[in-house]
Amino acid sequence: MLAGQRLTVSSPQGRFAEGASLLTGQLCLAVEAFGKHLLYRFNSGDVLHIHLGLFGRTRKRKLPLVEPRGAVRVRLVGDTHVIDINGPTICRVLAAQDVLTLTERIGPDVLRSDADPDRAFNRITRSKAPIGRLIMDQSVMAGIGNIYRSEILWRQAVHPETPGKAIDRATFDRIWDDAKALLTLGVKRNAIITVDGARPSKSRYSERVNIFGKDSCPTCKEAIRRFEIDGRRTFVCETCQPLIEKLSSVT
DNA sequence: TTGATTGTTACCGG
DNA sequence: TCCGGTAACAATCA
């Protein structure tokens, strides 16, 4: 994005003011993602850490500058473009040690080539927690959000309430590979698309997904059950995703 | 005006 | 010390 450019960093809303002054005029060496965390690395060694949370947005525009739209917390101005960051949950400057602490806390990111899926598999098979919780636990594996959770488990015919330790290696591999494929597509199209062959459109994501927010299963037409895992909506077709607790529940 | 929401973290009690 | 539960926070839209 703006990597390789000298950036003017400002804080139009006044918040993050000290952080902005620390960074302004520095060369942005790289922009990197660890799961849902964004790191802007600067030549001074400072790192701008952003997490967009539930409501955060970034907007990229060509220069010239226009008035910030909505609640812009950080504005990054390069040679040709400007990026506005609205409503991030996290917006701070990290020292090198804090960056390490952060990246060590985050599980393997399905989109990173240096990710080690074995770490996720080991966590999952040691837990009796439901797989629907585990794959969205960013310390177990990073990248999957609430919509992808229901969609991936439906696509792989895994019931979200299956205990982690009942997940065998082949099943885990299918979940991991599907997550990787869907998130890669999502990045490429800048949209959540989990229906094979679907195209992004101006419509809401609900038209590009299989069961999230739906009442009936696109495959078998049976009713979709909706319930909560950790307070977040979860959808399951109990016909296509039967709950199999398998043998390993022997304790 | 109210409610819902593609998320995370801090804190507290058991 | 490690859980599970709860609250807090963020911004926008219907």
Side-chain angles (χ1 to χ4, degrees), chain A residues 96-180:
Chain A
Q97 181 53 49
D98 299 326
V99 174
L100 267 185
T101 306
L102 172 69
T103 55
E104 283 170 2
R105 183 166 54 78
I106 297 174
D109 176 343
V110 296
L111 286 183
R112 290 184 66 94
S113 55
D114 59 6
D116 177 10
D118 291 353
R119 281 177 56 206
F121 181 64
N122 290 337
R123 283 283 301 275
I124 288 169
T125 50
R126 277 190 280 109
S127 175
K128 61 184 196 308
I131 189 66
R133 170 186 299 170
L134 292 168
I135 65 169
M136 218 179 102
D137 180 334
Q138 304 298 305
S139 72
V140 172
M141 53 190 280
I144 295 177
N146 196 36
I147 295 179
Y148 282 114
R149 159 167 71 188
S150 288
E151 293 294 316
I152 290 166
L153 293 177
W154 178 82
R155 286 166 57 98
Q156 300 307 323
V158 177
H159 195 293
E161 289 175 306
T162 310
K165 61 183 184 178
I167 300 290
D168 60 30
R169 182 70 201 213
T171 304
F172 168 77
D173 286 342
R174 283 190 290 114
I175 292 172
W176 178 275
D177 291 345
D178 203 29
K180 187 172 181 173

Side-chain angles (χ1 to χ4, degrees), chain A residues 70-103:
Chain A
V72 175
R73 302 287 180 228
V74 191
R75 168 167 268 189
L76 306 170
V77 183
D79 304 329
T80 57
H81 289 76
V82 52
I83 293 178
D84 282 337
I85 300 174
N86 289 56
T89 287
I90 296 170
C91 174
R92 57 184 176 180
V93 177
L94 294 183
Q97 181 53 49
D98 299 326
V99 174
L100 267 185
T101 306
L102 172 69
T103 55

Side-chain angles (χ1 to χ4, degrees), chain A residues 151 155 182 185-186 188-210 214:
Chain A
E151 293 294 316
R155 286 166 57 98
L182 291 179
L185 178 66
K188 186 173 158 196
R189 310 300 283 272
N190 195 29
I192 295 174
I193 305 169
T194 65
V195 177
D196 289 331
R199 311 199 96 69
S201 65
K202 289 174 186 165
S203 58
R204 281 179 64 75
Y205 59 77
S206 61
E207 294 169 29
R208 302 187 300 269
V209 299
N210 294 289
K214 302 297 176 65

Side-chain angles (χ1 to χ4, degrees), chain A residues 37-50:
Chain A
H37 298 258
L38 281 176
L39 301 181
Y40 290 79
R41 299 181 184 276
F42 290 87
N43 61 314
S44 61
D46 291 321
V47 174
L48 172 62
H49 175 205
I50 298 287

